Amino acid sequence: MTYTPQQQSRSSHMQWGLLAPATVILGGAGLVFLGGAQEHAQNGASGWGVALALSAALGIWGLLAFLYVLNWRAAGVRAAMAVNPFIRPRKGGFLKGAIIGTLFVVVLQIASVLIGLFYPGLEQGERNFFFSVPTFYLTALYTVFPIAPVLGGIVGKLWRSTSI
């Protein structure tokens, strides 16, 4: 008698019903921001407005891509659990994610100061903006309001729980 292991495909465990509304909502929002960037560029608005709208579109689409990757990884865990019921998702990962989230904000602060120092052609007011405003508000993301550590911790926990 030949034993053939039960095959479970990853795509059969994907949760397409959850991804479809997210794709419609986030994909549409990304297109709106992309259209806004194009409208700003055609009407001669500042380059900062165009860059801000483009970065918002890319950020929204990045979030959508992250949701697809998490769903793909979770489908792999569900497929493995269907074959072997002793497999359990891994736990933990919050602290590591919180540290990475905080370090990401610190890197953004350092980048803002470096832009203010070394970017050629900035006037004094623009240079002062890069020194004070982003560093001040980004500091609030991990001191006053712990947004960066909490979001990073949640992402770290989700990432670790979707691995075997």
Side-chain angles (χ1 to χ4, degrees), residues 17-37:
L18 296 174
L19 287 176
T23 302
V24 170
I25 293 169
L26 293 176
L31 283 176
V32 166
F33 278 107
L34 186 65

Side-chain angles (χ1 to χ4, degrees), residues 107-121:
V107 166
L108 283 177
Q109 288 177 317
I110 292 170
S112 172
V113 169
L114 290 177
I115 287 172
L117 281 174
F118 298 117
Y119 192 77

Side-chain angles (χ1 to χ4, degrees), residues 12-146:
S12 66
H13 289 277
M14 290 282 286
Q15 304 235 338
W16 296 108
L18 296 174
L19 287 176
T23 302
V24 170
I25 293 169
L26 293 176
L31 283 176
V32 166
F33 278 107
L34 186 65
Q38 189 245 351
E39 187 72 25
H40 279 310
Q42 281 183 346
N43 292 334
S46 67
W48 291 105
V50 175
L52 188 63
L54 276 176
S55 64
L58 291 176
I60 289 172
W61 287 335
L63 174 64
L64 184 60
F66 179 69
L67 291 176
Y68 269 91
V69 167
L70 274 182
N71 199 345
W72 180 256
R73 289 171 55 98
V77 171
R78 285 190 295 272
M81 287 172 58
V83 173
N84 185 356
F86 296 109
I87 293 178
R88 294 284 170 233
R90 295 169 66 186
K91 296 190 185 286
F94 185 85
L95 184 62
K96 183 178 178 182
I99 291 170
I100 290 173
T102 304
L103 288 177
F104 179 74
V105 172
V106 170
V107 166
L108 283 177
Q109 288 177 317
I110 292 170
S112 172
V113 169
L114 290 177
I115 287 172
L117 281 174
F118 298 117
Y119 192 77
L122 288 178
E123 297 174 6
Q124 190 61 36
E126 294 169 335
R127 211 172 286 283
N128 290 340
F129 173 82
F130 279 109
F131 283 138
S132 61
V133 175
T135 55
F136 177 72
Y137 286 114
L138 288 174
T139 302
L141 286 180
Y142 61 86
T143 56
V144 179
F145 310 108

